[in-house]
Amino acid sequence: MRYALLPVLVLATLFAQKQADTKPLAEPAAVNPQSVPDKNNLLGLPPLPIPANNPQTPDKIALGDKLFHDKRFSVDGTVSCSKCHDDKQAFTDGLPVSVGHHGLTGTRNAPTVLNAAFNQSQFWDGREPDLEGQAKQPLINPVEHGLADHKQVLEIIRTDPDYLATFQSVFDVSAKKLTIDHVAKAIASFERTLVAGNSPFDRYYFNGKTDAMTDAQIRGFELFVGQGRCVSCHTIEQDHALFTDNRFHNIGVGINQIQQDIPRLTQAFLEAKNKGGQVDTMVLTDKKASELGRFAVTDELSQIGAFKTPTLRNVELTAPYMHDGSLKTLKEVMVHYNNGGVNKADERVNDFLSGGIRPLNLTDPQLNDLVAFMKALTSAWSGSRYANPIPTQAAN
């Protein structure tokens, strides 16, 4: 049964310029507990950004839902968007790296689509700026859907009377004038409904309900904004929280194992890119190239091994973790950070490690409290499904 998800919980930036009347970060909001109802599924989220050139409508969202789940848009008829972003697995697939057509595997973990509408860039390396751009790439990636080009998608749609009628109704476009951009807009509109807020943390912090989190989760929150320094990248605002700074950081995952190859890899990657190589193809078909991270997009040496800060909302549901799915549990993630960017304390850190990554000296019970807090970021349920009214707010 599919998630029909609760609207928008967004994590944010808690570098508040501490003014005299600003509440301490680890304390819940001083509000009347009755002022914000627990059934407010937007609790903790900012306004949903919606592009002016792609407004939400019920029919467009329904069309996007159908496209998202259609396996015909793959070379072997087995891969839809939902194969790697499964409704029943918090819109991930539960695998270290995703499996495409004919059992081919890529190099990266499938990030959740939940709250992806709030991302300032898409993919682990940020190579697309929005959901519309993101929706087009997997269709023609050789290890994902595997189609030769987008024309094959359009051919399938043009031979399906139901699709043709719906595209005509939604976009006022004939079969001849239908483009992949129309397809991408519909998929993106559906994905913008996959937003989830109203977690125990939201009720505790934004609604002032001090009993919404357990004692362990409260201690974990205090570590999150204090000694653990997690909030430096997984940010929290005073009125909402997306738990991401939307920036890129080298935290010592993957890149540590290929340090000796970096000079050769960077040169070879740039040469291939200058000859017309596609970034998405190169990073998803070559494990070592994948570890170059944001560098593959920007060509900046300072971005070697850097990947986007993911949201922590619903992180309990989206194991395994990191861009390569190499850490199986939240506890393993905490140990990695506690060691200062290595899985074992005696390992050598990489030369491009982000400056904020250093040993935290947290005890095992403290790590357990941080894990407990991560579980306080799981959105509330409405029966067996998320409640999901259609977001219609326009972007500023």
Side-chain angles (χ1 to χ4, degrees), residues 2 64-71 78-89 91-93 99 110 113 145 187 190-191:
R2 277 209 304 273
D65 187 347
K66 182 177 179 179
L67 293 164
F68 188 89
H69 294 90
D70 197 328
K71 297 179 181 179
T78 68
V79 181
S80 66
C81 303
S82 63
K83 180 173 183 178
C84 300
H85 304 285
D86 188 343
D87 312 41
K88 295 183 286 295
Q89 298 191 68
F91 289 87
T92 61
D93 57 15
V99 177
V113 182
H145 294 240
I187 293 173
F190 166 65
E191 291 176 332

Side-chain angles (χ1 to χ4, degrees), residues 127-311:
R127 63 184 180 269
E128 286 292 340
D130 52 38
L131 291 172
E132 285 80 0
Q134 185 280 329
K136 293 184 280 189
Q137 282 201 18
L139 295 166
I140 56 174
N141 188 282
V143 298
E144 294 183 277
H145 294 240
L147 298 177
D149 52 45
H150 289 131
K151 292 180 181 178
Q152 293 180 272
V153 175
L154 302 179
E155 288 171 1
I156 293 169
I157 293 172
R158 287 172 178 145
T159 59
D160 186 315
D162 289 338
Y163 266 139
L164 282 181
T166 306
F167 272 98
Q168 175 70 49
S169 173
V170 170
F171 292 103
D172 191 23
V173 62
S174 66
K176 185 176 181 179
K177 293 186 177 180
L178 178 68
T179 71
I180 194 62
D181 289 333
H182 295 111
V183 176
K185 283 184 174 182
I187 293 173
S189 290
F190 166 65
E191 291 176 332
R192 288 192 175 97
T193 69
L194 306 181
V195 290
N198 194 17
S199 67
F201 165 79
D202 297 308
R203 296 190 290 278
Y204 172 87
Y205 190 67
F206 296 116
N207 204 10
K209 296 213 167 187
T210 56
D211 61 348
M213 294 202 302
T214 67
D215 290 344
Q217 289 171 340
I218 293 172
R219 292 194 302 270
F221 179 40
E222 292 170 348
L223 290 165
F224 185 89
V225 301
Q227 185 179 351
R229 298 182 290 106
C230 314
V231 75
S232 298
C233 300
H234 298 283
T235 53
I236 301 170
E237 300 281 3
Q238 289 189 353
D239 60 354
H240 66 270
L242 289 174
F243 296 95
T244 175
D245 59 3
N246 281 295
R247 298 176 65 186
F248 302 84
H249 305 278
N250 178 324
I251 61 171
V253 172
I255 195 72
N256 288 357
Q257 284 68 51
I258 63 165
Q259 295 186 60
Q260 69 281 0
D261 293 331
I262 288 177
R264 177 186 61 80
L265 284 172
T266 53
Q267 181 177 351
F269 191 91
L270 290 175
E271 289 176 355
K273 190 175 176 182
N274 289 335
K275 292 178 181 178
Q278 297 298 310
V279 171
D280 67 311
T281 298
M282 291 190 288
V283 300
L284 287 183
T285 57
D286 187 310
K287 169 67 173 170
K288 289 187 176 181
S290 174
E291 304 301 355
L292 295 175
R294 181 68 170 166
F295 168 83
V297 178
T298 67
D299 302 342
E300 297 177 8
L301 294 178
S302 63
Q303 298 286 290
I304 290 175
F307 290 89
K308 186 173 66 176
T309 304
T311 180

Side-chain angles (χ1 to χ4, degrees), residues 42-104:
L42 293 169
L43 184 63
L45 296 174
L48 182 67
I50 296 176
N53 67 348
N54 192 21
Q56 299 283 84
T57 68
D59 288 346
K60 189 190 296 183
I61 291 166
L63 173 59
D65 187 347
K66 182 177 179 179
L67 293 164
F68 188 89
H69 294 90
D70 197 328
K71 297 179 181 179
R72 290 179 294 170
F73 303 131
S74 62
V75 69
D76 64 351
T78 68
V79 181
S80 66
C81 303
S82 63
K83 180 173 183 178
C84 300
H85 304 285
D86 188 343
D87 312 41
K88 295 183 286 295
Q89 298 191 68
F91 289 87
T92 61
D93 57 15
L95 301 172
V97 296
S98 295
V99 177
H101 69 89
H102 294 100
L104 295 177

Side-chain angles (χ1 to χ4, degrees), residues 306-317:
F307 290 89
K308 186 173 66 176
T309 304
T311 180
L312 296 180
R313 286 192 177 273
N314 299 293
V315 69
E316 175 187 11
L317 308 176

